Amino acid sequence: MALLSVFTPVLAVVLCLVIGFVLVKSWDTETTSTSPGKSKGATKGEKRPWVDQDLQDDTEITAKEDDDDADDDWGDSAEEENLTQLPYSPQRYPEETMLQRSKEFYTLMNQRRSVRFISPEPVPREVIDNVIHTAGTAPSGAHTEPWTFVVVSDPDIKHQIRLIVEEEEEMNYRQRMGEKWVQDLAKFRTNWIKEYLDVAPYLILIFKQTYGILPNGKKKTHYYNEISVSISCGILLAALQNVGLVTVTSTPLNCGPKLRLLLKRPANEKLLMLLPVGYPATDATVPDLKRKHLDDILISPGMCRRVLMRAGINFNCRTELAAYANI
């Protein structure tokens, strides 16, 4: 007991020192992470802000980016000049015309289908250029326009693309996708054989730019780059439907790095989508699918009671919406 009483003050001092050290380190870490010029929560492994983490391509990571000076590679957006504001007054239609145009556009787009049987018949290249030009009108984060469209018509390159896609797709179907995923696709009669990649007169590969390159060689942040490019792809699909061409949306899993190298695209570009484009084959078929009713995809206070009653749910719509608004 006497020995314990002698060591008790020493143990207390040591314990106090340990606690103090931990608190100081914690304070230093918090101060560093919230210091001016750095984003809160940023770490050494997160040098590049707002870069999507999906569809990763390991070839983008270089030794230079792992250095402590990697932040110096990024340019300052504040260096760009302020934009001039211009008056904007688009054409306005009478309500009757608006209603008619909305119905006609819905009818046009409701005819859009994913078509895997594409004719080899030539398509005017100017038409392809125009639909891509239309896709480039999409909105983007801070107007960075983070998209690159690669159009392939050379038979040899198309065949190389097919070989890469089919090799990875067979592995996807057999090993990576899982039994349920493969079963869900079975009713569409799809597999890893992609004949349309050889047959279609054009392949359009859409790449998202995870960051841009400024004239001074520094990197430029591309905010919401994947969302921006996805919106652009949606407009591209509408533009193709508008001119009577067909495609099937293809997201070739695990093919991005090989296709990027084949097409000699830089490391900041990641493949988002591959579209075979052309006229439908004369014997083309599509699954007999039905789209959801408007009531199943649109919710508004004026119609929520009717929708919920169809689902067997009965409650005061106004009261419930007010409750959700207060959450």
Side-chain angles (χ1 to χ4, degrees):
M1 293 295 295
L3 184 60
L4 180 60
S5 63
V6 172
F7 279 102
T8 298
V10 177
L11 292 174
V13 171
V14 172
L15 182 60
C16 289
L17 290 174
V18 171
I19 294 175
F21 178 77
V22 171
L23 290 175
V24 169
K25 291 296 291 183
S26 176
W27 172 258
D28 289 343
T29 301
E30 182 177 354
T31 303
T32 301
S33 64
T34 58
S35 60
K38 292 190 177 182
S39 301
K40 185 176 181 179
T43 64
K44 183 178 179 180
E46 299 172 343
K47 296 290 185 182
R48 293 170 282 106
W50 292 89
V51 175
D52 298 329
Q53 296 303 312
D54 55 341
L55 302 180
Q56 284 291 333
D57 181 344
D58 292 339
T59 54
E60 177 187 352
I61 301 174
T62 65
K64 184 177 181 181
E65 291 179 345
D66 289 334
D67 293 340
D68 292 336
D69 296 333
D71 286 335
D72 295 337
D73 295 341
W74 291 87
D76 185 0
S77 59
E79 296 175 358
E80 299 180 6
E81 297 180 359
N82 292 329
L83 294 175
T84 302
Q85 297 295 315
L86 300 175
Y88 179 67
S89 181
Q91 182 176 358
R92 181 166 178 170
Y93 302 99
E95 290 187 4
E96 296 79 5
T97 305
M98 291 172 61
L99 181 59
Q100 182 62 28
R101 288 172 63 89
S102 67
K103 289 181 178 179
E104 290 175 353
F105 191 69
Y106 165 74
T107 299
L108 172 68
M109 295 309 300
N110 193 38
Q111 296 170 354
R112 187 209 59 77
R113 298 298 301 272
S114 294
V115 178
R116 294 173 172 82
F117 304 97
I118 300 178
S119 169
E121 181 182 353
V123 173
R125 175 56 193 260
E126 188 176 2
V127 173
I128 301 300
D129 292 344
N130 287 338
V131 296
I132 292 177
H133 206 186
T134 303
T137 67
S140 59
H143 193 60
T144 52
E145 301 178 291
W147 41 67
T148 299
F149 299 88
V150 179
V151 178
V152 177
S153 59
D154 181 87
D156 291 336
I157 300 179
K158 287 195 298 181
H159 188 65
Q160 290 182 62
I161 290 174
R162 178 182 176 181
L163 293 178
I164 291 172
V165 171
E166 288 187 343
E167 179 183 8
E168 293 293 337
E169 281 286 83
E170 182 175 6
M171 193 174 301
N172 292 334
Y173 272 83
R174 293 186 182 277
Q175 301 178 21
R176 298 168 177 153
M177 290 165 51
E179 184 177 351
K180 185 178 185 306
W181 191 349
V182 174
Q183 289 178 351
D184 289 341
L185 290 174
K187 60 184 177 183
F188 299 101
R189 300 178 183 177
T190 65
N191 53 39
W192 57 85
I193 305 300
K194 313 293 183 184
E195 293 180 358
Y196 50 74
L197 295 178
D198 271 327
V199 176
Y202 294 103
L203 303 182
I204 302 178
L205 294 91
I206 302 98
F207 290 81
K208 65 174 186 178
Q209 301 169 8
T210 55
Y211 58 86
I213 306 296
L214 296 170
N216 61 6
K218 291 193 174 185
K219 299 176 184 177
K220 177 180 180 179
T221 303
H222 279 178
Y223 307 94
Y224 299 110
N225 55 76
E226 178 156 341
I227 296 176
S228 301
V229 180
S230 297
I231 295 173
S232 181
C233 288
I235 294 177
L236 177 58
L237 293 177
L240 289 170
Q241 181 70 15
N242 183 58
V243 297
L245 298 176
V246 298
T247 187
V248 53
T249 52
S250 170
T251 52
L253 187 64
N254 297 307
C255 298
K258 292 180 180 179
L259 293 177
R260 182 180 64 76
L261 293 175
L262 173 66
L263 299 173
K264 297 179 173 59
R265 301 312 307 158
N268 65 315
E269 294 186 2
K270 308 291 180 249
L271 180 64
L272 185 68
M273 192 170 294
L274 190 164
L275 302 178
V277 174
Y279 299 108
T282 55
D283 58 349
T285 60
V286 295
D288 184 13
L289 301 176
K290 301 295 186 295
R291 292 189 167 96
K292 291 182 178 179
H293 190 274
L294 180 62
D295 288 350
D296 296 324
I297 64 174
L298 172 63
I299 299 296
S300 63
M303 67 189 307
C304 70
R305 178 185 293 276
R306 178 158 53 94
V307 173
L308 292 164
M309 288 182 66
R310 285 179 56 197
I313 303 173
N314 186 17
F315 68 84
N316 188 310
C317 188
R318 184 188 300 272
T319 302
E320 292 296 327
L321 286 176
Y324 282 119
N326 292 326
I327 293 178

